[in-house]
Every structure is written in C-alpha cells, then in structure tokens.
Amino acid sequence: MACRLDGAMSQLRLLAGVLRVRCTLGSLWLRGNGSGSTRRCLDSYRRMSSSGSTPVSPAIISSSSYVEEMYYAWLDDHKNVHKSWDTFFRDLQASSPSAEAGEKRPSTLLQGRVGSHSPDTAQKVVEDHLAVHTLIRAYQIRGHHVAQLDPLGILDADLESFIPCDLITSFDKLGFYGLNESDLDRTFQLPPTTFIGGGNSTLPLREIIHRLETSYCGHIGVEFMFINNVQQCQWIRQKFETPGIMKFTNDEKRTLLARLVRSTRFEDFLARKWSSEKRFGLEGCEVLIPALKTIIDTSSAAGIDSVIMGMPHRGRLNVLANVIRKELDQIFCQFDPKLEAADEGSGDVKYHLGMYHERINRWTDKNITLSLMANPSHLEAVDPVVQGKAKAEQFYRGDTQGKKVMSILMHGDAAFAGQGVVYETFHLSELPSYTTHGTIHVVVNNQIGFTTDPRVARSSPYPTDVARVVNAPIFHVNADDPEAVMYVCRVAADWRTTFNKDVVIDLVCYRRFGHNEMDEPMFTQPLMYKQIRRQEQVLKKYSDKLIAEGVGAQQEFEEEIAKYDKICEEAYASSKDEKILHIRHWLDSPWRNFFTSEGEPRSMTCVSTGLEEEVLQHIGQTASSVPVEDFTIHPGVSRILRGREDLVKNRQMDWALGEYMAFGSLLKDGIHVRLSGQDVERGTFSHRHHVLHHQEVDKHTCVPMNHLWTNQALYTVCNSSLSEYGVLGFELGFAMANPSALILWEAQFGDFHNTAQCIIDQFISPGQAKWVRNNGIVLLLPHGMEGMGPEHSSARPERFLQMSKDDPDHFPEFTGDFEVQQLYDSNWIVVNCSTPANYCHVLRRQILLPFRKPLIIFTPKSLLRHPDARSSFDDLTEGTKFRRIVPEEGPASERPDQVKRVIFCTGKVYYDLAKERKQHNLEGDVAVTRLEQISPFPFDLVRAEAEKYANAELVWCQEEHKNMGYYDYVRPRFLTVVANKRPLWYVGRDPAAAPATGNKSTHLNELRRFMDTAFDLSAFLEQNL
Ligand SMILES: Cc1ncc(C[n+]2csc(CCOP(=O)(O)OP(=O)(O)O)c2C)c(N)n1
Ligand SMILES: [Mg+2]
C-alpha cells in the first residue's frame, strides 16, 4: 500500500486515473477532438479477431472476395451465415435503394452504405464491423480491469495497474482495431452478443464505447466471460448492458438509506458503549447489511423461505442484529463481563455464536427462516458445514431444485483466497449428492487481512478467482456506491433463481479501524490509513446524495437516526435486567420435539438395539440379491452375493452384512441413512457393493438397500469428491438438520481424517460445549496394522482419545443407567468393534439414544474377510445390545482364580491374540478381554473383569506403537479402576515416530515379538518383584 502511494506511478496508471475520472463524467473525452494518430494495426487486429466471437478467421478477412462469398451464401439461405452477418446484410439491403431494384451484387449494395464503389471499401466496412464487435467483446472480457472499484481510490482491485491494450482509454488506442478518431461518429451494426443498443441495432462508435464504459468500467466490474454457456453470458450481458437498467424508485432508495442507518449506527452504538471491547466492526463495509437484506428480499420474492448463512467475525454482530434480527438486548448483554453462563460447557465468544430466527420478510410479506451457523475462529471452516446443513434441509423438505432453501456464505478477502477449504467447497457445488443448487458468496473485500497486504497474500488478481473453477460469475462492486451494490445483489439473487448456480459478490471496501478495535493499523498500512481517515462514511455520502436528488430531507434522515439510536438505548437498558447468559438462546439448528422444551433428553435410557429374526432374514436376503429384473452384474459381485446368501442361510454375518443389518433396520423405521466419502459405494476394500452397476447399460445402477421395504426411508450412498475437510464438514452440517437420520462419513483410510482435522478439533469434539448443540455424525475410520506402511495403517486413535473429556482419575458413581448417563456426559464416543454384530448394535444405538453424540468408529480392513470375524444372528436378535466390552468367555472364564494374566485389548489384535494363545495352549491361563467402547471408558465393566481375575496380571496389549493407539488413554483409567493397587503391563510395539513400518518383514518381526511377550508368563515377573 505504502509503495503504491509513495512509489512512482507508472504512466499507464496515471493515464488510467485520468481516464477513470473522464469516464465518470460520462466519457466526455470521446466527444472532444483528440489527435487522429491512428493507423491500421492489422496484426493485433487479427490476433483479436481470432479470439473474438465472430466466426470469421483473420485469413479470410483479408480476402477481397470474402464479403461476396458471404453475401451469396446469405442470398441462398440466410441461415448459411452467422447471425451477425445476417443482421448486417439485412440492414444493408433495407437501406440500399439498389436492392429494391433487384440489385444483388454486394459491392453495389455497400456503395449505398459507405459511399464507395470499390470492393476495397466494402472490405473495410466488414473489417471495421468486425473490429467493433471485437472491441465490444474486449470490454465484456476485460472492462472490470479499469472499473472504479476501490472506494479509497488507491488500490487496484485486481492488484495490477495495467490497462488492457484493447480498451479505448485514449484515441490512439482505436488504432489497435484499425480504426481512428474519424470513425467515432460512424454507425455500426451491433452484434447479437450485446445489449448496449437497447432498442437500437446500430449505434455510432462513440456511443458504443460510452455505453460499454458505463456497463463495465463504472462502479461495477463484471467477470463472466469465462463461463462456457452462451445463454448464461447473454443473461449477464442483458443485466449489465441494457441502457438505464440500474434504476431505483425513491422508496427503494429510502429503504436503502434506512438500512444503512441501522448498519452504521449499530456499530457506532457498540463503539460508544464498549470502546475497549473487540467486536470486529463492519465500519468501511456498512453496506454489507443492506446487501444481505437485498439478497434475502429478492430470494424471498422468488420463493425462498429458508436461508442458511455462514460468515466470519467481521460484522457478525451487525448481521445478527440487523439481518437475522436477534434481540438487541441479547446481543448487548454478551458484553457484560459479570453475567454467568447458564449452560454447561465452555460457551463461545460473542462473535462466533449462531442464531436461528423465523420471521416475516417485510418486503415480501412472506415467512422466512434465517439461520447463521455458529463457527470457530478458523476462517472458512464453516463453509462446507453450511452447505451440508442447507443440503439436508432441501433433502428433508423435498426441495430438489433449491427453490425453498438456499445458503449464503460470507468471506473475508484474505481468507477467501488463502483457505483451501473454499476450493473444496466450490467443488462440491455441482455434485448431485452435495449441490445446494447455488450459493451466493459475499466477500467483504477490505483489501487487507489482519496486517497483510493483498499483494503478498495471494497470487491471483482478485481474491475471488477461486470461484472461476465452477464458472460462477463474479460481480466486483465499489462498496461506497450503495445503489450499485444493491443492483449486483439483485442480479446475484436472480442468477441463482434462474440458473441454480453459485455466484460471487465482491464488495470492494476498506476497514476503517485495525483488525479489531484495539489494533493499530498505522504500524503496517500508514498511507492507506491516512486515506481512510479522510474517507467520509458511506452513510453520509449516500444521505447527501439522496438529499441533493430531493429523495429525502435532512430532517427525515436525522429522525431515522434518532429512531434507531433510541431502539439501541432501550435495548441497552433492558439488557441490564438480564441476570444470566443462555447460550441455548443462540442455537442455530433447533430440533423440534426431540428434546423437552427445556432442551433436555426425554429419557436417560436406551431401548434394545436387537432385531427380530425375520427382519434379519429379510435384510440378509436383499443384501444377497439383485432386487430388479434384467440387471446384469459383474461375476465378481455375483460371487460376493452368493457368499452372503450362504452366510444368511447359516444365520451368520460378516462385516458388510452387519452394516446392512444396521442401515436396513433403521431405514425400516423411517430413519434416513446417508453414507458419504471417497469410494464408499463399493467400499475401499471392495466389500460393500451398495451400488450395483449394470454391466451392459451405461449409468444404470441399482441400490438394493432402497428395495427393502415399501415405506422405508431413503438410503443415500454417495462417492464424494477427493476431499476430507470439505466433505466431513458437509456431512457434519447435514447431521445438524435432523436428529432422526444416521449420517456417516467414511475415510478412505483412517489416517486421511487428518486433512479434516479442523472439523474434528473445532466442531466435532467441542461443538456441544461451545454451542450447546448435539450432533450424531459417525466417522468410519479404517484402521489396523497390516504391513501396509506408515500411511494407511493408523487412524490415530490417540488423537481422538486425547480429546475425550472423561476424567482418567475419577472413578464414577454407577447410578441410574450408567451406560447412557456416561454417554450423555461425554463429548463423543470412540469405539473399535471386533464383531459385525457389535458394529451393527453401535450404529443402531446411535439413533436409539435419547440424545446425539458424535461416534468415532475404527473399522477393520483384513477383518472384513476374516473367517473368525463373523457374528451369529443370535448376537443381533431381540434383547441383545451393544457390548461395551466383550469379556473372556472361554475356559479361562470358568476358573478365573487360576488365570495368570488378563490381556485387555481392542479391535483386530484380538484375533492374533486368540490364535496365539491357542497355539501356546494357554487358554486356561490367559484371559483375553476386548474393549469395544474405549471412550467413554467402561469403568464399571473393566472393574468387574479385573475383580474377576483377582490373581492375574493385568496387561494392555495393542498392535500400535506405545506412544500411539490407546495405551496413554487406558492406562490411567485402569489404574483408577484398581485404585493403583495393581500394575498395568504394556505389550505392543515400541515407541516410534512413524505410525508403522514400510517393511513387511519388520512388520512381522514386530508382531512376533510382542505376541511372544503377550504369552510369556514370566515376562513381567521380575518387574513385579
Ligand atoms: C484458518 C485461520 N488462520 C488464521 C486466522 C487468524 N486470523 C483471524 S482474522 C485474520 C485475517 C482475515 O483477513 P480477511 O479474511 O481479509 O478478513 P478481515 O478480517 O479483513 O475482514 C487472520 C489471519 C484465523 N482466524 N483462521
Ligand atoms: Mg480483509
């Protein structure tokens, strides 16, 4: 910034400045007498033509017979030539007296037009027309580069001071097109790809340029010509080029002013009352409030009745107050440091809280629900969450086209360009199972990120370039021109209604104060801030404008201000009556009727998760068959289905069948199930096959799970884009909409969840504590040490366990239904099931619980096909339930006093231990007990097991390295269980930096070594002494 002001401005930039001023004055310069130093510049012209919209190639243009050829072709059939030629020849014919006399030679016709008899003249007319068409196109493509977007007038919104050489910013540039000043008053036929003519099909060149400047180089810069859809481009051209299209009634102007008053005075009020509090005010972009309201009004008129919004810190309180209409006293009391929180949990700072509000839209008189999602500090993390929530609302309301529910995402300029999740979210926007049918993005582009200048914060010209990947039009607008802002907001809302695609509004503004109100911006942006200090508030500028136009009087304006100030003062007074803070008043996603009116669960028990035999049989049969006629499946899939059939006959199930039982039975009860993630339809390990593909008919698929029962809920299974952060965020948002749905995200391999760490750390683990909202999302994380190398082995259980909030040193009281109470008190549930039946139970329990908690499941890889990792239907029939631990049930359990060692473990290693124990013939000496639910820790069941084997050594065995896996979590809890009176011995891999070795033989050696220790009954004797 400093550089820009201090440094020598380039000639071009100076020129641009001058031209912009002239441009504001209505292109007066074009009407003056410039020097006519133009000469044909055919080379560059040819370059231009080849990228232009006209179907004529430069080589052809140079041929003198070309026009005649075109003309004769046109005479044969008007459709033989491009539309522009058709228009041209029609006009020519209409205006030529020789045509009436039956003359058909083009040169003769052209004669009447340009006053020349020579074929050369005819050729020049064509060339000049083509040149003008190219010029029009140049403005459509590059006009935004010279638009006056920066209210401060010191920065180029595209970070470049260059002026495209094909925009006519001085007379001599006409030469670029082979035109000169004398051509300015010549009339040219307009191509069908412009609307600048209004009702005219021809205009003088001077007027053409003037109108193009008005459309593309004023306070709005439109980027859209990269869109590969002619209809969409035409739509935008029509919206910005039609003369006089940007008109507002006096009422609309007054409403706009009133909204600016609220926006501005709200911040002023907070600044006055709490001058030393951080609030991330909107000063410099006050227009955001009327902008959002315009988007909502226009969308409401088009039928939208639910808007889900996500936004960062800046202006958030203002949006809550003046867009969502949160009661002002509720906002003000958040500033009171003495108020205590009524809710459990950490709560959150005021500029992160969400809100949900149903109201009447005053402009349309229709009902509208507005919700702003709570979010963490992590910028842009909320984007996919908002999209998921919007998608879910659309899904459950049957709004398949997004005509009722829509999302709006707000962004800061630095974060929009810098955060990868923005890109991931854009890439979800057009995918069938993830689209929300168009999101309106609003960027508060204050041309700074904290203290960082945009020139060192991004490599793209604009902060919005990321949106180009999905062909979203981008409307840059000078935020100090409220009417221009309102106009683009209307167009953006209309765009979404018309095309159901994303659109971006880039509000180019400034930040009046530092990053927050306590920050000193002069340290780093001295010159920018000198300019900002001189900058008049947009409210003042706009009110002056309206008063000058006679739309309102000074007194009216002052009354409007006084009225709002009074509202604020009254709310402030009543905020003093608040005695306590209720975070639950800030809930962004209420679940009607799921909790009591006080927000409590309706019970503290969980009904049985077992299933009737006939339900198991029915699901098993569907899972083994192709439920539609004439559908050819792959022979490999046939084999898998036959295998399932055999299992079902024997009342057995493997992992895939266990999952089928869970999903199928929930669907039967009307519970929507949605499984999303990379390659989940087939399953990474080719075990699932939830979508069958016809082997001869393209795109013909069958989802047997949707053919289970006539009145079942829908099963959604969808392969996602190759994203974790975006997709997990999306599914989390989806799970917020409805408690009666099982929403699962599966990682390709468990360790890939770390690229979605922010969603786990900021939303899933602490979400309820911060924002008092439940979420029942399920994470399926394939995990297991199988010699596949450092990656693909560990889903990092230690990370989840470290964030579990149950106290390792506190032995709980087992009152009521301890199992359920303990789940209720936890922040999430972490399990590693060793049997398909238990996997099925835990999935069903997730929905049958009277509250929702995130569920993290470490799922198997080799166990998917392990012949021992099967369950009998008996483990799933009525009366059965999820087993938090599976105690030793073999010979050792019959003579517990004789048992020398109890090995506690979890997951797949159990099968290695069981096999090894058999080989060592130690089935009576060593008990092996499985922890299926690791967190919250089953203190009660572990104690029972430890007490049962009172004389035995207690061992924790895991296949993970010692500094990973479960050891650090279980150890202190075991010691609490035994009151520190018995040691817990560790058996497993040594500490390591990488989660697993890349060498197969090392892997097997490590396994061998720790298996030997596990069954070496003297291994710990010495230490015991
Ligand atoms: C992911 C993430 N990284 C860093 C930060 C710290 N941070 C807070 S605001 C901010 C600057 C944001 O700039 P911009 O997106 O332009 O928004 P503005 O504050 O200018 O409105 C930074 C770096 C954060 N909140 N989130
Ligand atoms: Mg910024």
Side-chain angles (χ1 to χ4, degrees):
M1 218 80 51
C3 245
R4 260 163 216 274
L5 283 177
D6 289 345
M9 280 182 157
S10 74
Q11 289 285 46
L12 274 176
R13 227 168 140 238
L14 271 173
L15 183 60
V18 173
L19 292 173
R20 282 174 200 184
V21 172
R22 284 178 172 167
C23 177
T24 337
L25 298 174
S27 293
L28 288 178
W29 67 275
L30 271 177
R31 296 188 184 116
N33 289 325
S35 69
S37 65
T38 46
R39 207 37 270 148
R40 183 157 306 233
C41 172
L42 199 56
D43 278 354
S44 47
Y45 170 53
R46 283 176 178 167
R47 269 202 315 279
M48 297 284 308
S49 299
S50 62
S51 65
S53 65
T54 161
V56 183
S57 88
I60 298 173
I61 292 165
S62 63
S63 157
S64 61
S65 65
Y66 175 66
V67 186
E68 290 195 20
E69 278 170 27
M70 293 290 277
Y71 180 65
Y72 289 124
W74 178 75
L75 281 179
D76 271 355
D77 182 345
H78 292 4
K79 289 197 191 106
N80 283 345
V81 298
H82 184 255
K83 241 178 163 180
S84 56
W85 282 108
D86 180 31
T87 320
F88 175 67
F89 289 130
R90 276 175 201 275
D91 281 3
L92 207 55
Q93 207 168 38
S95 61
S96 168
S98 43
E100 280 164 27
E103 178 58 74
K104 293 223 182 309
R105 273 172 303 149
S107 53
T108 317
L109 288 175
L110 286 164
Q111 181 186 346
R113 182 86 170 171
V114 295
S116 161
H117 291 258
S118 75
D120 274 359
T121 316
Q123 188 179 334
K124 170 149 171 54
V125 169
V126 173
E127 286 178 3
D128 288 352
H129 266 81
L130 291 175
V132 170
H133 291 194
T134 310
L135 181 152
I136 293 171
R137 190 174 160 81
Y139 273 85
Q140 292 169 339
I141 298 173
R142 279 175 286 279
H144 57 89
H145 286 293
V146 296
Q148 306 157 74
L149 299 175
D150 178 17
L152 301 175
I154 55 172
L155 275 174
D156 294 292
D158 60 357
L159 302 185
E160 271 274 18
S161 54
F162 96 107
I163 298 171
C165 64
D166 50 357
L167 301 187
I168 309 304
T169 47
S170 63
F171 293 127
D172 56 337
K173 289 176 83 177
L174 285 166
F176 182 80
Y177 294 98
L179 299 167
N180 62 41
E181 206 185 331
S182 66
D183 293 317
L184 284 172
D185 294 316
R186 275 174 64 201
T187 298
F188 288 87
Q189 185 69 39
L190 298 170
T193 49
T194 188
F195 293 82
I196 54 172
N200 301 320
S201 58
T202 61
L203 282 179
L205 178 58
R206 190 186 299 280
E207 188 60 20
I208 289 175
I209 297 173
H210 170 60
R211 292 193 186 185
L212 288 170
E213 281 174 343
T214 310
S215 304
Y216 292 111
C217 310
H219 284 158
I220 299 173
V222 192
E223 270 191 286
F224 69 105
M225 288 291 280
F226 50 81
I227 298 176
N228 295 321
N229 179 307
V230 178
Q231 192 204 352
Q232 290 170 9
C233 288
Q234 283 293 78
W235 189 92
I236 292 173
R237 285 191 272 248
Q238 189 263 330
K239 292 283 183 193
F240 288 97
E241 293 182 356
T242 307
I245 196 164
M246 214 176 93
K247 282 222 177 74
F248 294 87
T249 63
N250 286 352
D251 269 354
E252 286 168 340
K253 289 180 183 182
R254 278 192 284 267
T255 303
L256 173 50
L257 184 70
R259 288 173 171 180
L260 264 183
V261 165
R262 286 178 166 253
S263 170
T264 309
R265 300 301 290 185
F266 177 79
E267 298 294 351
D268 289 355
F269 186 81
L270 294 187
R272 268 202 314 280
K273 295 287 182 206
W274 296 280
S275 57
S276 57
E277 272 279 329
K278 274 194 217 171
R279 65 188 153 84
F280 296 105
L282 198 49
E283 292 95 337
C285 195
E286 291 92 338
V287 80
L288 177 69
I289 301 301
L292 290 174
K293 291 179 86 80
T294 304
I295 294 170
I296 293 166
D297 290 347
T298 316
S299 305
S300 161
I304 291 291
D305 62 20
S306 176
V307 179
I308 298 162
M309 293 186 266
M311 73 176 295
H313 48 285
R314 183 135 344 266
R316 197 178 172 98
L317 296 177
N318 210 328
V319 169
L320 284 165
N322 287 316
V323 179
I324 316 263
R325 292 295 179 102
K326 174 91 187 148
E327 303 85 341
L328 289 178
D329 52 349
Q330 290 288 318
I331 297 178
F332 296 157
C333 73
Q334 289 281 328
F335 285 88
D336 186 341
K338 295 188 297 297
L339 285 193
E340 283 180 20
D343 313 273
E344 281 180 21
S346 62
D348 204 347
V349 292
K350 48 191 166 294
Y351 39 82
H352 287 166
L353 296 174
M355 178 61 200
Y356 174 95
H357 197 191
E358 290 174 16
R359 50 183 290 235
I360 302 272
N361 179 284
R362 300 231 179 102
W363 201 65
T364 57
D365 242 359
K366 292 181 178 177
N367 282 326
I368 191 143
T369 302
L370 302 172
S371 57
L372 177 67
M373 306 294 286
N375 61 259
S377 177
H378 294 55
L379 293 166
E380 307 291 349
V382 81
D383 297 359
V385 183
V386 168
Q387 299 300 65
K389 167 111 189 284
K391 179 72 181 175
E393 268 203 27
Q394 290 174 348
F395 178 83
Y396 295 120
R397 292 183 57 182
D399 180 19
T400 52
Q401 302 297 311
K403 300 289 179 208
K404 297 274 164 213
V405 182
M406 71 176 268
S407 55
I408 300 178
L409 288 178
M410 280 157 266
H411 314 269
D413 53 318
F416 198 47
Q419 290 293 307
V421 70
V422 174
Y423 181 87
E424 291 187 30
T425 307
F426 269 115
H427 266 287
L428 296 176
S429 69
E430 307 249 344
L431 304 180
S433 299
Y434 302 85
T435 180
T436 53
H437 308 284
T439 298
I440 300 184
H441 299 264
V442 183
V443 182
V444 173
N445 179 1
N446 52 20
Q447 312 182 83
I448 191 166
F450 206 154
T451 68
T452 302
D453 191 293
R455 286 166 306 170
V456 295
R458 62 174 195 258
S459 296
S460 61
Y462 293 101
T464 51
D465 290 61
V466 59
R468 295 169 67 121
V469 295
V470 293
N471 281 322
I474 300 162
F475 306 141
H476 308 282
V477 57
N478 185 321
D480 264 12
D481 182 345
E483 289 179 9
V485 172
M486 290 321 103
Y487 186 70
V488 298
C489 289
R490 271 188 208 167
V491 175
D494 286 347
W495 164 271
R496 187 199 176 268
T497 306
T498 310
F499 298 109
N500 284 111
K501 280 174 62 73
D502 280 26
V503 52
V504 177
I505 298 165
D506 178 21
L507 295 176
V508 187
C509 56
Y510 59 93
R511 192 187 70 192
R512 186 168 288 279
F513 303 113
H515 173 59
N516 62 57
E517 291 65 27
M518 307 301 106
D519 249 355
E520 173 52 84
M522 293 290 280
F523 289 152
T524 49
Q525 271 76 23
L527 297 184
M528 184 192 214
Y529 273 82
K530 272 184 193 151
Q531 175 60 33
I532 289 176
R533 281 191 194 146
R534 288 194 289 269
Q535 195 79 4
E536 209 160 26
Q537 267 190 341
V538 66
L539 174 61
K540 170 86 173 73
K541 287 204 241 179
Y542 192 57
S543 62
D544 286 353
K545 177 176 181 284
L546 294 199
I547 291 165
E549 283 176 13
V551 175
Q554 179 70 28
Q555 191 194 343
E556 255 176 70
F557 170 58
E558 282 166 11
E559 279 168 12
E560 190 72 38
I561 290 183
K563 192 171 93 190
Y564 187 65
D565 286 358
K566 186 159 170 270
I567 294 173
C568 289
E569 284 296 349
E570 284 168 4
Y572 177 68
S574 71
S575 76
K576 299 267 177 211
D577 300 338
E578 291 288 335
K579 299 283 174 274
I580 202 146
L581 275 181
H582 290 276
I583 302 284
R584 67 187 63 224
H585 291 164
W586 296 76
L587 200 54
D588 56 19
S589 312
W591 289 343
R592 300 220 182 294
N593 305 323
F594 184 69
F595 294 116
T596 64
S597 53
E598 283 76 44
E600 301 297 331
R602 292 185 180 278
S603 78
M604 244 332 138
T605 55
C606 181
V607 297
S608 162
T609 49
L611 291 164
E612 292 160 23
E613 179 77 20
E614 71 187 274
V615 171
L616 294 173
Q617 286 292 341
H618 178 72
I619 297 174
Q621 278 151 21
T622 307
S624 323
S625 60
V626 184
V628 290
E629 304 276 296
D630 300 327
F631 197 96
T632 315
I633 57 170
H634 189 274
V637 177
S638 289
R639 248 192 327 276
I640 291 172
L641 298 191
R642 275 199 305 278
R644 285 183 188 167
E645 200 177 357
D646 291 344
L647 282 172
V648 174
K649 274 189 200 136
N650 294 321
R651 299 185 68 254
Q652 290 265 308
M653 66 189 124
D654 60 6
W655 216 269
L657 271 173
E659 188 174 82
Y660 237 104
M661 300 299 176
F663 292 1
S665 57
L666 291 170
L667 293 169
K668 176 171 180 289
D669 295 339
I671 302 294
H672 171 231
V673 179
R674 176 180 164 102
L675 172 62
S676 149
Q678 293 149 30
D679 307 291
V680 294
E681 294 177 5
R682 188 201 74 171
T684 301
F685 313 100
S686 201
H687 71 294
R688 184 176 283 133
H689 295 283
H690 281 183
V691 180
L692 306 178
H693 291 258
H694 198 300
Q695 297 295 297
E696 272 130 38
V697 185
D698 188 30
K699 295 186 193 137
H700 190 15
T701 55
C702 167
V703 179
M705 197 85 78
N706 277 325
H707 295 262
L708 279 167
W709 332 91
T710 39
N711 290 325
Q712 69 168 86
L714 195 73
Y715 174 51
T716 309
V717 57
C718 41
N719 287 349
S720 73
S721 66
L722 210 168
S723 142
E724 286 83 21
Y725 192 173
V727 176
L728 178 56
F730 188 96
E731 301 311 332
L732 180 86
F734 205 108
M736 274 174 201
N738 178 8
S740 301
L742 184 70
I743 310 298
L744 309 98
W745 173 74
E746 183 173 71
Q748 183 108 82
F749 285 94
D751 48 357
F752 292 120
H753 81 253
N754 58 14
T755 71
Q757 199 65 51
C758 179
I759 298 294
I760 296 165
D761 287 0
Q762 263 59 45
F763 290 87
I764 300 182
S765 170
Q768 188 180 348
K770 294 200 285 191
W771 308 314
V772 294
R773 66 180 179 208
N774 280 211
N775 195 298
I777 189 158
V778 180
L779 272 60
L780 302 178
L781 305 177
H783 170 82
M785 312 285 279
E786 281 154 3
M788 292 177 82
E791 272 72 63
H792 300 170
S793 293
S794 176
R796 297 291 199 172
E798 65 277 9
R799 301 232 175 114
F800 292 93
L801 293 172
Q802 194 227 350
M803 284 190 274
S804 292
K805 81 169 178 105
D806 59 338
D807 187 344
D809 305 321
H810 174 69
F811 195 73
E813 278 177 39
F814 305 131
T815 49
D817 187 334
F818 174 69
E819 175 179 346
V820 175
Q821 184 64 48
Q822 198 191 20
L823 294 175
Y824 182 67
D825 293 338
S826 67
N827 57 326
W828 56 19
I829 306 162
V830 182
V831 305
N832 188 349
C833 304
S834 64
T835 68
N838 229 16
Y839 175 50
C840 175
H841 278 299
V842 81
L843 290 175
R844 285 180 51 73
R845 185 182 76 171
Q846 189 67 356
I847 288 299
L848 296 174
L849 281 171
F851 47 81
R852 296 288 172 262
K853 297 283 168 176
L855 171 63
I856 318 298
I857 310 184
F858 302 113
T859 55
K861 295 175 287 177
S862 60
L863 287 197
L864 298 173
R865 294 186 175 78
H866 197 296
D868 296 341
R870 289 188 179 154
S871 299
S872 156
F873 279 16
D874 291 341
D875 299 329
L876 254 190
T877 45
E878 287 163 287
T880 57
K881 57 185 265 196
F882 175 67
R883 305 175 81 187
R884 288 177 290 145
I885 75 168
V886 179
E888 172 60 53
E889 285 163 347
S893 69
E894 283 150 28
R895 296 170 60 198
D897 50 326
Q898 309 270 311
V899 169
K900 303 194 175 59
R901 177 175 289 178
V902 196
I903 301 179
F904 289 91
C905 65
T906 185
K908 159 183 156 276
V909 76
Y910 165 76
Y911 293 95
D912 295 323
L913 288 167
K915 186 170 150 208
E916 197 74 16
R917 177 175 62 175
K918 195 165 187 189
Q919 281 167 6
H920 283 79
N921 223 0
L922 287 172
E923 283 166 304
D925 302 276
V926 179
V928 182
T929 290
R930 290 167 262 175
L931 251 74
E932 304 277 303
Q933 177 176 298
I934 307 156
S935 178
F937 192 72
F939 284 97
D940 50 341
L941 303 179
V942 170
R943 179 171 72 173
E945 207 59 358
E947 282 175 356
K948 177 172 177 181
Y949 302 101
N951 307 323
E953 288 174 332
L954 304 179
V955 166
W956 175 258
C957 176
Q958 65 177 32
E959 56 177 357
E960 296 81 2
H961 290 281
K962 192 173 183 180
N963 54 331
M964 301 172 195
Y966 322 88
Y967 180 58
D968 283 342
Y969 175 83
V970 297
R971 186 181 144 79
R973 288 165 177 81
F974 265 99
L975 295 181
T976 298
V977 164
V978 295
N980 286 304
K981 297 212 169 76
R982 294 161 74 182
L984 179 77
W985 302 107
Y986 171 78
V987 170
R989 287 184 164 85
D990 293 338
T997 172
N999 180 290
K1000 194 85 186 177
S1001 128
T1002 310
H1003 166 77
L1004 293 173
N1005 281 340
E1006 286 171 352
L1007 179 64
R1008 173 81 270 128
R1009 224 176 299 143
F1010 83 76
M1011 279 296 145
D1012 286 349
T1013 313
F1015 294 100
D1016 173 2
L1017 296 183
S1018 58
F1020 306 113
L1021 281 183
E1022 227 167 83
Q1023 287 104 308
N1024 258 342
L1025 293 172

